[in-house]
Every structure is written in structure tokens, then in C-alpha cells.
Amino acid sequence: MKTSRLPTYFLSHGGGPWPYMTGGFRSNFDKLEQSLVEMRTELQDLPKAVLVVSGHWEERGFAVSSGSNPGMVYDYSGFPDYLYQIKYGAPGSPKLARHVQDLLNSAGIDARPDPTRGFDHGTFSLMKPLYPNEDIPVVQLSLDAGYDPALHLKVGRALAPLRDEGVLIIGSGLSYHNLSAIQGTAGHGPSRQFDAWLQETLIRSPSETRTERLVEWEKAPAARAAHPREDHLIPLMVAVGAAEDEPGAVTYHQKDFAGGLTASSFRFGDIPSAYQSKGDAQ
């Protein structure tokens, strides 16, 4: 049956404000950028708004950005001065923020509005190549600082109705995030091992098994070597929870990220039927 229900995504968002950079460092993200361009193509014009669960925002409980015109959060260091002047100018959506809060509260999950929260780089690093016209409203949802995977899966389940309302749900993090091991070769093996576990869990496991494995993700090979602090993994749980019984697929995979790390992004649920029918006709 054809549907316009949107899939959900867990996206590896790369390093710092990369879409705004020039020079050699920028080319590290060419494959990631191409995957985002392809994502925009397969979604067509179906998304009416975007909800980003960012690995760069955590609170006690959950907070929802509710301002009409979000500012910027320059949550990185060591970059040239001009990268602290950039602006991603998409509007917020107080109406969507209230709806997200209501859905969570109705599921027994504490959530509150935050009218001052701006776009952090977990959001604008993806949104700039994904929607460069800056015309689609964007709302952010924080993580809960306890990092409970089961709780974040529950959050995803509560937010699943948004998919039928034209709201694109994105979990923004990195499939490998160990900053102390990015330089040199120490991270190469662990990133491959953990990525292989992700592929097995998210793509080849039945939905019930997938959920069980995610709740117990610390048992995965190289789990803590890949994520000494799981802030960049937990957004995955929300994306999966919102499409828990639906198939997973890889949308981005790179074995030479940052000189030899393995990184991936994933989609959950089918791509919209409008794009499928175009592909079938080619």
C-alpha cells in the first residue's frame, strides 16, 4: 500500500561546523554530504517540519526548543573566527514544540519547553546540506542526561504519530564517537567492530531482537571503545523507537572517515512511495 508516512533517520553528523568550511578538512565530509543530498531527493517535498534529537543537548528530563527564531549554539572549539559567526536561519515552530511536549507528556514522559535554545552543531551541520534554503521549520528535542536506552526508545514510540503528520524525525549523533582515539589508528578497529554490530542489529535482526540488543548495547563488541560516553549514540534509540517494527537500511557508510574510522547513518521505515514509484520507472 502506498504511503506518505515518513521514515526516521539516525545520522552521523560529522565534525564541527563542516558544511560552512573551506579547504582540505571540508573534503573529509564529501561522502556524508552526498548521502544528505540523496536523502533530500528521496524525501521529495513531503517533510513539513523537522524534529532533531541532538547528541549535543542533554537535560534532566526532556526539553523541546520552542522559540520562533532560534539562535545559534557554537558548541565547538579551535576553529577559525568566522565559524563563530555563521547562521542557520530556519524558523522554529512553537506549535510543533507544544505538540511534541503533549505527545511525551501523554506517554508519561516529562517534557518542558525551552524558548531560548538555539541550533547546535548536531542540528545545523546536517540541516545546512539537507535543507540549504533554510525554509523548513526545525525543532530540537534534548536527550535525558541519564542516557537510559529504554527510556529513549519509549520517547520514539510516543513521537511516532508525527511521521504521519509530515514531521521528519532525525536522531543526530555519530556511529563512532571517541574523541581521544580519533587521531592515529587506535579507533580504526573499534569503529569497525561496533559498526558491524550496528549493521547486524539495525538491518538484519528482527524488530524484537533489535530492540533488545539496543537496550543492552554495552554488550556489543568494542561498545565502550566506540562510545566512552553515549551521548552520540542515544539519539539512535529515539529514531528506532519511532519506527520500531519497520526495516532498517544504511544511507551512509564510510570506512575512511577521518583517516580510517568507520561511520554510518541509517534509515528506519520505507522511503516515501512517491520516490519509490519514480525509481521503479527508471
Side-chain angles (χ1 to χ4, degrees):
M1 182 175 66
K2 289 190 174 183
T3 179
S4 59
R5 168 177 285 185
L6 292 171
T8 70
Y9 293 83
F10 172 69
L11 301 179
S12 289
H13 61 233
W18 64 267
Y20 296 85
M21 299 179 70
T22 58
F25 182 78
R26 175 71 170 71
S27 65
N28 288 318
F29 306 100
D30 287 350
K31 292 180 182 178
L32 174 58
E33 182 172 23
Q34 181 59 35
S35 74
L36 296 171
V37 172
E38 292 171 357
M39 176 179 164
R40 182 172 74 238
T41 299
E42 72 183 22
L43 291 172
Q44 299 289 305
D45 58 354
L46 289 173
K48 298 178 175 62
V50 181
L51 177 66
V52 180
V53 185
S54 173
H56 286 270
W57 187 21
E58 59 187 64
E59 300 282 348
R60 292 183 179 179
F62 294 90
V64 189
S65 66
S66 58
S68 298
N69 297 290
M72 299 288 283
V73 178
Y74 303 114
D75 52 346
Y76 42 82
S77 60
F79 289 91
D81 289 346
Y82 77 93
L83 293 171
Y84 299 90
Q85 308 299 323
I86 58 177
K87 171 71 174 175
Y88 185 75
S93 174
K95 181 179 179 181
L96 175 57
R98 286 193 299 271
H99 187 28
V100 168
Q101 183 182 356
D102 289 344
L103 287 171
L104 294 178
N105 291 163
S106 295
I109 300 166
D110 177 48
R112 62 190 182 279
D114 185 338
T116 66
R117 178 70 185 187
F119 296 139
D120 59 59
H121 88 258
T123 296
F124 67 73
S125 63
L126 294 174
M127 294 304 299
K128 181 63 174 176
L130 187 56
Y131 291 112
N133 292 336
E134 305 178 5
D135 54 354
I136 294 183
V138 179
V139 170
Q140 293 179 127
L141 174 66
S142 78
L143 304 177
D144 174 73
Y147 295 150
D148 181 353
L151 174 60
H152 289 82
L153 284 159
K154 182 180 179 181
V155 166
R157 294 182 198 116
L159 298 177
L162 296 174
R163 300 174 54 206
D164 295 311
E165 300 170 13
V167 178
L168 176 63
I169 299 173
I170 295 174
S172 173
L174 278 169
S175 59
Y176 173 87
H177 193 251
N178 185 342
L179 295 178
S180 67
I182 285 181
Q183 300 297 326
T185 61
H188 295 184
S191 70
R192 287 195 298 271
Q193 293 172 53
F194 191 72
D195 191 270
W197 179 86
L198 284 175
Q199 305 280 341
E200 178 66 27
T201 299
L202 301 177
I203 299 172
R204 294 184 286 276
S205 295
S207 59
E208 182 176 337
T209 302
R210 179 170 67 183
T211 299
E212 292 172 354
R213 286 165 68 98
L214 288 176
V215 169
E216 300 183 343
W217 73 270
E218 289 179 272
K219 296 181 180 179
R224 281 299 178 185
H227 290 279
R229 189 168 180 265
E230 58 265 43
D231 51 327
H232 278 56
L233 179 68
I234 292 298
L236 167 66
M237 312 304 170
V238 180
V240 170
E244 196 163 21
D245 297 324
E246 298 178 51
V250 176
T251 61
Y252 157 73
H253 182 69
Q254 187 169 356
K255 295 181 179 179
D256 59 350
F257 178 71
L261 299 174
T262 300
S264 295
S265 297
F266 299 89
R267 180 184 66 239
F268 306 99
D270 294 325
I271 58 176
S273 55
Y275 182 73
Q276 288 178 327
S277 62
K278 282 190 176 185
D280 293 342
Q282 291 176 353

